[in-house]
Amino acid sequence: MARSTRRTFLTGSMAAIGAGFAIGGTKASGRILGANDTINLAVAGLNGRGGAHVGEFSGMEGVRITHLVDPDIRTFDKRVKQVSDRSGNSPKTVQDIRQVLDDPDVHAVSIATPNHWHSLMAVWACQAGKDVYVEKPCSHNIHEGRVAVEAARKYDRIVQHGTQSRSSRSWAELAELSRSGKYGPLLVSRALCYKPRNSIGFKPTGPAPSEVDFSLWLGPAQDHPFHENLVHYNWHWFWDFGNGDIGNQGVHQMDIARWMIPGPTYPTRVVSLGGRFGYEDQGETPNTQITVMDYGDTQLVFEVRGLETGEYRGEKVGNILHFEEGTVAGGKFYPKGSDEAEPLVEVEVERGPGDGHFGNFIAAVRSRKKEDLNAEILEGHVSSALCHLANLSYRVGEPRSFDTVDEALGTDDVARETVGRMCEHLKDDNGLSLDGMQYRLGRNLRFDGDAERFINDPQADELLSRDYRAPFVVPETLA
């Protein structure tokens, strides 16, 4: 990757707002926000999750949404009305986040843009002295997620990741229960993302609508022709902008699956397989995917199903824990060899301050303690990185005939059972004949978690970052 495309781009206004802000205040105010001071906040990205951000923050006492940001001005009227109806004020509307970052009266930025903008916008906001709530996944690739963590540390910012389950007491209790060993060692931490996704068809390329600044929408990505499968939601299924469903809905379940595993942060190995089955369309990411990660004594297994499917152990989008002494599913414990559920053992846990996940962010903005956050950016970075690891294995893999799928993941019983159920799902739930069909078998990658690099795999290392389009460049590192 050419270094010229990944250099820090901090000229003009961005250079002026790079650092030197007072903790909890702005360069202009130079003061710490008190418990009764109003937090001025901008929401960037107004479709989808952006509506939830607007709804949450506009209903909070002591928080004022002062700016709404989106390259598509067609999104403005609805969100301005939403803010006005809930809080009585009318926020400013801008297309370019840099106009907001130049404003010393804005204290925080809430990011609900497409994935490829998440890290860069978070880094810019930290450099501008703003605190950040950034949606999941916090990154489009592993490199830029690490830079977002560096920015939070270097500029002493409060940065919350949008994995809301971290603010759930019941999931925190289950994580503590897993660490306690009361059910024996955790053998498999399984995550499911069974969420039907229909074909997106094919949209012709052409000029972008006059209301959309498409170059701004592209941001860090390389130039692409406009088509309506990008703006808005279906960008999730294109590699240059999204990360498939494992990095969309699935990052929530990935975060929980990792949270439940005592010990190491990263796996030592990862392998993924799957494909885009059941239809042909413009999308690139798999709608069916199985990933196995090696955590030593524990396996993390992730299943994505984007076609019609039944439940597995009563779950479609959720997590299942396989302990030595039994299985936890649906908030209940099933002893080994029994179908009779038992209540979970009770444990004590603490969660951070504030009401809900967004309230937890605001509470931490006031306390200036990153330890108060339930999903601090480092946790978000690692869980997002696991989604990227899965996709990296898949992308550097090769097509194989379904005749070979039984041997795809070796002799591991858990992996073979999971792949067998995937094949049954394709055949029985969706009427697909696997004869003559191909799937993609990812490479079995070894990963050095300390260095966040692969071991002896330059091709996979290339996908740890991307070629950025100036001036929307995530730097190599923060000087």
Side-chain angles (χ1 to χ4, degrees):
M1 185 171 295
R3 293 186 64 85
S4 62
T5 63
R6 289 170 57 184
R7 68 187 186 279
T8 307
F9 190 88
L10 293 175
T11 60
S13 64
M14 287 309 301
I17 62 177
F21 288 77
I23 294 175
T26 67
K27 194 172 184 179
S29 69
R31 64 182 179 85
I32 294 175
L33 288 168
N36 297 319
D37 288 326
T38 297
I39 295 173
N40 293 328
L41 181 137
V43 177
L46 303 179
N47 274 281
R49 283 296 296 165
H53 288 222
V54 170
E56 291 277 354
F57 288 120
S58 62
M60 287 186 188
E61 185 176 351
V63 177
R64 179 172 56 222
I65 296 179
T66 59
H67 294 77
L68 296 174
V69 186
D70 200 290
D72 185 351
I73 65 174
R74 297 172 299 184
T75 64
F76 290 159
D77 288 348
K78 180 178 179 180
R79 299 305 178 208
V80 169
K81 184 177 187 303
Q82 187 179 1
V83 174
S84 180
D85 287 349
R86 295 208 68 186
S87 63
N89 72 295
S90 294
K92 297 178 183 178
T93 56
V94 299
Q95 289 179 286
D96 193 332
I97 186 62
R98 288 168 292 187
Q99 294 175 252
V100 174
L101 301 182
D102 278 331
D103 189 334
D105 292 326
V106 175
H107 306 119
V109 177
S110 189
I111 302 169
T113 63
N115 296 1
H116 68 290
W117 257 110
H118 286 180
S119 286
L120 179 62
M121 199 171 289
V123 170
W124 280 359
C126 288
Q127 290 173 323
K130 321 298 185 189
D131 296 317
V132 177
Y133 183 112
V134 59
E135 265 302 337
K136 52 72 192 172
C138 67
S139 59
H140 182 258
N141 60 64
I142 292 175
H143 158 72
E144 64 188 31
R146 173 53 62 182
V147 176
V149 175
E150 289 180 12
R153 301 292 182 266
K154 180 178 177 65
Y155 302 105
D156 202 11
R157 295 293 90 198
I158 298 297
V159 184
Q160 174 89 305
H161 189 243
T163 38
Q164 301 96 312
S165 294
R166 289 277 174 161
S167 289
S168 163
R169 184 167 296 276
S170 60
W171 283 120
E173 289 171 345
L174 189 52
E176 180 61 29
L177 188 56
S178 178
R179 284 190 291 272
S180 75
K182 292 183 184 295
Y183 295 142
L186 177 62
L187 305 180
V188 179
S189 185
R190 187 186 301 272
L192 307 180
C193 179
Y194 290 6
K195 197 165 187 176
R197 303 290 189 181
N198 295 328
S199 169
I200 63 173
F202 293 86
K203 302 293 186 183
T205 60
S210 60
E211 299 92 341
V212 179
D213 186 332
F214 188 56
S215 178
L216 199 56
W217 187 92
L218 287 172
Q222 295 300 310
D223 283 324
H224 280 257
F226 174 86
H227 58 78
E228 291 183 351
N229 266 332
L230 295 180
V231 181
H232 287 279
Y233 188 78
N234 287 330
W235 54 263
H236 280 291
W237 323 130
F238 294 86
W239 290 121
D240 276 355
F241 312 106
N243 306 96
D245 229 355
I246 199 171
N248 179 26
Q249 172 62 53
V251 66
H252 292 290
Q253 285 65 54
M254 182 69 84
D255 181 58
I256 293 169
R258 182 180 72 83
W259 190 10
M260 299 300 124
I261 302 174
T265 299
Y266 282 112
T268 57
R269 287 184 179 270
V270 57
V271 62
S272 190
L273 63 81
R276 196 167 181 87
F277 303 126
Y279 46 72
E280 293 184 6
D281 65 3
Q282 213 162 2
E284 299 170 348
T285 62
N287 64 14
T288 304
Q289 188 176 10
I290 290 173
T291 301
V292 179
M293 297 184 180
D294 182 3
Y295 275 88
D297 293 335
T298 306
Q299 285 179 306
L300 191 158
V301 177
F302 203 106
E303 302 180 46
V304 172
R305 293 187 184 181
L307 301 178
E308 290 297 327
T309 184
E311 298 175 339
Y312 179 66
R313 299 200 69 121
E315 300 287 330
K316 280 195 172 183
V317 176
N319 290 75
I320 299 168
L321 304 182
H322 304 273
F323 292 96
E324 187 176 69
E325 296 181 13
T327 298
V328 173
K332 296 178 180 179
F333 177 66
Y334 295 83
K336 192 172 184 179
S338 173
D339 293 328
E340 296 296 321
E342 299 178 358
L344 295 177
V345 174
E346 293 185 5
V347 293
E348 294 294 326
V349 297
E350 294 292 332
R351 290 286 82 200
D355 183 13
H357 204 56
F358 290 89
N360 175 241
F361 169 64
I362 294 300
V365 168
R366 294 193 185 279
S367 75
R368 306 314 306 164
K369 297 177 182 178
K370 72 177 187 297
E371 295 79 14
D372 282 348
L373 291 169
N374 290 330
E376 205 270 336
I377 183 61
L378 179 59
E379 298 293 342
H381 162 58
V382 176
S383 293
S384 299
L386 297 194
C387 300
H388 303 324
L389 288 178
N391 284 334
L392 277 163
S393 169
Y394 177 87
R395 293 182 71 183
V396 299
E398 297 178 347
R400 296 286 181 88
S401 166
F402 264 95
D403 294 341
T404 70
V405 76
D406 286 343
E407 295 81 33
L409 298 182
T411 60
D412 181 83
D413 289 342
V414 172
R416 290 173 68 88
E417 184 273 340
T418 305
V419 171
R421 284 191 295 103
M422 180 195 78
C423 293
E424 291 173 3
H425 151 67
L426 294 174
K427 291 186 294 184
D428 298 342
D429 295 342
N430 294 278
L432 298 179
S433 173
L434 303 188
D435 294 339
M437 280 181 58
Q438 289 188 322
Y439 68 99
R440 190 172 190 86
L441 176 60
R443 193 176 300 160
N444 194 327
L445 299 174
R446 292 184 297 153
F447 191 65
D448 180 345
D450 292 334
E452 293 185 344
R453 307 284 293 182
F454 293 102
I455 298 173
N456 298 326
D457 200 319
Q459 183 186 10
D461 278 342
E462 281 294 311
L463 294 178
L464 291 169
S465 186
R466 71 182 302 166
D467 286 311
Y468 293 96
R469 186 175 67 103
F472 308 102
V473 178
V474 177
E476 186 76 29
T477 188
L478 297 176

